[in-house]
Amino acid sequence: MKLLPAPRVRKPAAMIAAVCAVLLLPAVSTSPVKAQVQVGSTWITEPVVPDFDIADEQLLLDLDEAIAIALRNNLGLLVQRYQRSQSLFRIGQEFGIYDLVLGVTTNVNSDSRPSVSQLDGAAVTENETITAGVELRQPISSGGDFSINFDNSRSTSNSRFSDINPSLRSSLTVAFNQPLLRNRGKKMTERNLAVARLNSDISLEDLEVQVVDTVQTVANGYWALVEGLEQLKVAEESLALAEELHEMNRIQIEVGTLAPLELVQSEAGIATREEEIIRVQAQIEDAADELRRLLNLDETSFWDLEIVPTTSPEISRVVIDLEASLRWALDRRAEIERQELQIASLVIDSDFLKNQRRPDLNLSVSYGRNALGGERVTCDRPGPPSIADLFEPCPEEYVRVDSLDYLSTLGQFYDGILGQVFEGWNVGLNLTKPLQNRSAKAQSRIAELALDQGRLELQDLMLTIRTEVRTAARGVETAGKQIDSARVSRELAEKNLDAAQKRYENGLWTSFQVLEIQEDLTAARSREVEAITGYRRALLAYFRAIGMLLDQKGIELVDDAEADS
């Protein structure tokens, strides 16, 4: 039988529809996208080899493809899957408390020793005993256990006082032991099993958090690369403007309408812009390497290829309902569900340790049947017995051997054990109680404090998440306004540069002044790039804050254990 954790509670579809009604996004819908990527919860033996679109030593990569590859290959996720799988096996491990236990014992004992008394029955007594026993023990959910013991022994002795020699003994005993106070009941018996199930559910929530982290990290890494490439275009355009100004200066110097000093100014501007290009190119390589690491790409096949992002950072705006976002976050965030599971585990520990403060009172009941067999050796001396007969060996002609009728051997089990009525029973109570019981009291109090701490941590977590949602929602609105502001700033900087160039052409401005205006335009263009990619990052933070990032990306976390059931 396959051991599975308790099924995970899914969120109602009505709530999904209610929240999606107030979150409007034309280009990137906030409604749950039909799952395009399914993420398993248990370990994967080998990372998959992605089928990339490669042309001219360039690796063409869109955002959804990058996320899908990372969800299969990311090493952090692979590690988390192993932890999830281990938690599933621990459930099976804890079911071992109900394993039927078979015990088999055998023993052979031989002993000889000189006699110290005539009552030993021989000058040198020699005894040999062979024992064999079988026990079956079955623990039960009430905390007790049933057991069946079948014991056999065969004894021989050279003592003249051993009437039955060899003697065969068998016993069949059925016993039941049950704690009445401490450790009584299914709740106490299955404490570790219940904790293992909760830990399994916690590991699934941890995996979901890891998946969300991976999606957000990969997407941010993707946009970092996109931003670097766009900033490189801005830097190259800035260099082109400086080179154009430099060429105009050179021509005017040649015709004698401009002082040679102006050429130095434009050359300095070119050098500065070339330095910026070098810096941006290094950033691009760093971002590309980080993305390769997140995707866990094969170093020999893909690390030398240039990554070319194909997803445009330009998207439409999101209209956010803050109150709906707050309700959604408190219902959907895996961190809250994880803490609630942790509290349930602390409740189990608290109840168990509170039970350990009770006295240890155990009931034991047993019933058994016994059988004896062998050969009875008697001495039929003629005449009345005398005391001297006890100390003299019986003459061989007077020895009589009788086999017992209720012989007990493995072949005569029914006749020897079940057929005869040599029986016994026992009922007992055993009470143990530490008079001060300080250890159990302290452990119980510690568990109660841990439970109170867990509940406070849940309140703090909910407050933190509410703050995260408010911050993320504000971040989206701010990022949108920054795009508008940066765009206006860039347009004005372009107009300002046109005016500056006309003044320069009319001899009213110097190269230094034009270069400053060009730098203003470059800065405005750079801020616009940052604002556009920053809006993408703000959206990722927002969807993560409300617990909807996986739904928005069309990602479904599948519990493999639940699916296999």
Side-chain angles (χ1 to χ4, degrees), residues 186-260:
K186 183 175 182 179
K187 190 175 181 180
M188 298 299 107
T189 303
E190 296 187 352
R191 174 242 185 164
N192 291 335
L193 177 59
V195 170
R197 283 172 168 159
L198 288 173
N199 287 339
S200 175
D201 292 338
I202 288 174
S203 70
L204 189 60
E205 300 303 326
D206 288 340
L207 178 61
E208 181 174 340
V209 171
Q210 183 71 29
V211 170
V212 172
D213 286 344
T214 300
V215 171
Q216 185 178 20
T217 303
V218 170
N220 281 333
Y222 188 90
W223 296 126
L225 179 59
V226 170
E227 179 179 341
L229 293 171
E230 293 298 322
Q231 293 289 12
L232 180 61
K233 294 179 181 178
V234 171
E236 289 173 344
E237 291 174 354
S238 177
L239 176 62
L241 290 174
E243 290 175 342
E244 181 181 351
L245 178 63
H246 182 69
E247 181 63 21
M248 293 175 62
N249 287 344
R250 187 186 63 79
I251 294 174
Q252 292 188 44
I253 291 174
E254 289 179 353
V255 298
T257 59
L258 193 66

Side-chain angles (χ1 to χ4, degrees), residues 53-125:
D53 184 5
I54 299 175
D56 299 329
E57 299 298 319
Q58 291 183 332
L59 191 157
L60 306 181
L61 184 68
D62 65 37
L63 177 60
D64 292 338
E65 184 182 10
I67 292 175
I69 294 170
L71 293 179
R72 293 296 302 275
N73 288 3
N74 183 267
L75 294 177
L77 274 179
L78 292 176
V79 170
Q80 193 66 46
R81 286 190 181 100
Y82 273 96
Q83 294 179 356
R84 163 64 177 163
S85 301
Q86 291 172 22
S87 71
L88 290 175
F89 283 111
R90 289 191 183 99
I91 296 177
Q93 173 186 335
E94 295 302 333
F95 265 106
I97 60 176
Y98 292 126
D99 287 350
L100 180 64
V101 179
L102 171 65
V104 178
T105 60
T106 60
N107 186 60
V108 178
N109 177 266
S110 179
D111 179 68
S112 64
R113 62 185 61 193
S115 175
V116 298
S117 170
Q118 291 182 343
L119 296 179
D120 289 339
V124 177
T125 57

Side-chain angles (χ1 to χ4, degrees), residues 255-496:
V255 298
T257 59
L258 193 66
L261 180 62
E262 296 295 329
L263 196 62
V264 176
Q265 294 287 347
S266 58
E267 287 177 346
I270 291 175
T272 301
R273 284 156 176 76
E274 288 176 342
E275 180 183 352
E276 177 65 15
I277 288 176
I278 294 172
R279 185 187 67 82
V280 173
Q281 287 175 336
Q283 289 182 343
I284 291 173
E285 290 302 319
D286 291 343
D289 283 348
E290 177 64 13
L291 191 58
R292 294 183 184 102
R293 183 190 69 83
L294 292 171
L295 303 186
N296 191 20
L297 299 181
D298 181 64
E299 294 187 32
T300 59
S301 302
F302 301 111
W303 278 63
D304 293 332
L305 298 177
E306 177 188 358
I307 298 180
V308 178
T310 59
T311 301
S312 172
E314 292 279 358
I315 56 171
S316 301
R317 307 292 173 82
V318 176
V319 179
I320 296 175
D321 185 317
L322 181 58
E323 291 303 318
S325 299
L326 290 170
R327 291 193 302 270
W328 182 248
L330 295 178
D331 185 72
R332 283 286 294 172
R333 286 287 290 267
E335 293 90 338
I336 291 181
E337 190 162 354
R338 185 195 189 283
Q339 186 62 25
E340 290 173 344
L341 292 170
Q342 187 64 45
I343 291 174
S345 179
L346 292 173
V347 169
I348 293 174
D349 287 342
S350 178
D351 291 344
F352 176 80
L353 293 173
K354 186 181 297 182
N355 175 268
Q356 299 304 295
R357 299 172 59 178
R358 296 182 175 183
D360 190 6
L361 179 62
N362 290 293
L363 168 68
S364 59
V365 179
S366 64
Y367 171 81
R369 290 201 170 205
N370 306 288
L372 174 65
E375 296 178 345
R376 186 183 296 278
V377 180
T378 57
C379 186
D380 292 338
R381 285 189 178 93
S386 64
I387 295 178
D389 294 340
L390 299 175
F391 302 99
E392 296 181 359
C394 182
E396 187 175 348
E397 63 269 19
Y398 298 127
V399 174
R400 188 179 81 246
V401 178
D402 297 320
S403 296
L404 300 180
D405 293 336
Y406 41 92
L407 193 65
S408 174
T409 64
L410 291 176
Q412 297 168 307
F413 171 75
Y414 178 82
D415 290 337
I417 294 294
L418 303 180
Q420 302 297 325
V421 192
F422 301 102
E423 57 185 358
W425 56 271
N426 175 74
V427 177
L429 289 173
N430 181 31
L431 175 64
T432 303
K433 176 176 173 55
L435 295 182
Q436 294 166 305
N437 208 19
R438 287 176 290 189
S439 176
K441 290 178 181 178
Q443 289 180 343
S444 177
R445 185 57 182 153
I446 291 172
E448 291 173 356
L449 292 175
L451 178 57
D452 292 340
Q453 177 184 347
R455 288 168 174 160
L456 286 176
E457 288 173 349
L458 177 60
Q459 295 179 18
D460 181 64
L461 176 61
M462 295 176 70
L463 181 60
T464 300
I465 288 177
R466 291 177 65 88
T467 305
E468 287 180 4
V469 172
R470 295 175 66 89
T471 302
R474 191 181 304 115
V476 172
E477 294 176 357
T478 302
K481 293 176 181 179
Q482 286 176 334
I483 292 177
D484 296 335
S485 176
R487 189 160 289 158
V488 171
S489 177
R490 187 257 305 160
E491 292 173 352
L492 292 176
E494 288 174 348
K495 293 178 180 179
N496 196 18

